Amino acid sequence: MIAHLRGKLIHKEPGQAIVEAAGVGYDVVISVPTFTALPSVGAETSLHIHTQVSEDQIALFGFLDREEKRLFERLITVSGVGPKLAIKILSGLSPERTVQAIRAQDHAQLTRIPGVGKKLAERLVVELKDKLEDFAVAPTPSAVAGPAVDDVLSALTNLGYQRPAAEKAIEQSVAKEKALAGDFDGLFRAALKIIR
C-alpha cells in the first residue's frame, strides 16, 4: 500500500494532483485545503496517502497535513460516507471546524456541506462524537469572561443546551447590556430568552 508520496508536482487543480515519483505519475484525489497549500507546478512536494482499493480500481487520496488524513480515515468509517464524500466534507470545512461541529453536535454546520443532508449529519455526530478525542481543537476564546459568565454557561449546559449556543447567547446578552457580565440572575434570564 502507498502511504506516502514524494516527487515533482506535474499538475494540480481543485480535487486532483499528479505527482511524479521515480518516473511514474500518480493521480491523487485531494481536498481544497490541500490544493490551496500545494506548491506551484514543477516544485517538489510530499503527500500523506490513503490508498483505497475496490473491485474495479485503486484510488489514492492525498493530504499535506497528517491530521487531515487521520480525520479522513475516521470519516470513511461512518456508514454512507465514501472516500469522495469524505474529501467533499474536508473541502467544505477545515479539519478543526469539522471536529468542532461533530463534537458540538452542530448539524446545521455539517448540512452546509454539499452532499451532507440532515440524516447524514446526525449519523456523523452519533458515530464519531466519541471517536475524536485525540484530535486537538483550538479552544475558541469567549469574548466575555468572569465568574457570573462561567456560572451562567454551566447552568445553561446543565439544562441541556449546547455549549456553543449557550456561549453565543451569553455574548449577545452582554453585548446588549455590559452590566450583565457581573450579574448572574440578570445574565441567566437574558441568555435564556435568546437561547429559547
Side-chain angles (χ1 to χ4, degrees):
M1 290 293 153
I2 298 168
H4 192 264
L5 190 58
R6 182 194 312 257
K8 189 162 112 180
L9 183 64
I10 57 174
H11 174 78
K12 71 171 184 173
E13 63 183 69
Q16 181 194 35
I18 298 175
V19 179
E20 186 184 290
V24 179
Y26 293 90
D27 189 349
V28 184
V29 179
I30 56 172
S31 66
V32 170
T34 293
F35 165 74
T36 55
L38 279 173
S40 55
V41 170
E44 176 149 320
T45 190
S46 65
L47 293 168
H48 300 283
I49 299 291
H50 173 85
T51 305
Q52 186 79 21
V53 181
S54 62
E55 291 170 16
D56 56 346
Q57 70 171 359
I58 296 173
L60 303 179
F61 296 86
F63 311 91
L64 280 174
D65 180 42
R66 188 186 298 272
E67 286 295 287
E68 190 182 17
K69 179 188 175 200
R70 285 179 57 232
L71 182 55
F72 169 86
E73 289 172 340
R74 298 281 164 91
L75 288 169
I76 60 175
T77 65
V78 175
S79 52
V81 178
K84 292 224 165 83
L85 182 54
I87 287 286
K88 256 191 191 172
I89 291 169
L90 293 171
S91 294
L93 283 178
S94 69
E96 295 80 17
R97 288 182 56 204
T98 303
V99 170
Q100 278 178 330
I102 291 168
R103 282 184 181 162
Q105 301 177 32
D106 187 349
H107 299 114
Q109 179 89 309
L110 294 167
T111 54
R112 287 192 196 114
I113 302 164
V116 178
K118 194 171 186 297
K119 281 208 169 88
L120 183 56
E122 286 168 4
R123 203 174 318 129
L124 283 166
V125 167
V126 169
E127 292 187 30
L128 290 180
K129 73 173 189 272
D130 298 328
K131 295 181 184 169
L132 300 177
E133 283 97 9
D134 56 337
F135 282 86
V137 172
T140 47
S142 180
V144 291
V149 170
D150 295 340
D151 291 344
V152 170
L153 182 59
S154 174
L156 290 172
T157 53
N158 288 338
L159 286 172
Y161 294 106
Q162 297 298 324
R163 187 181 176 93
E167 286 173 349
K168 199 171 183 180
I170 291 167
E171 285 175 21
Q172 288 174 350
S173 302
V174 174
K176 282 183 194 167
E177 195 181 329
K178 294 265 184 271
L180 287 176
D183 172 16
F184 173 83
D185 291 334
L187 182 55
F188 181 71
R189 279 196 294 274
L192 208 52
K193 274 184 197 162
I194 290 171
I195 207 166
R196 282 184 176 156

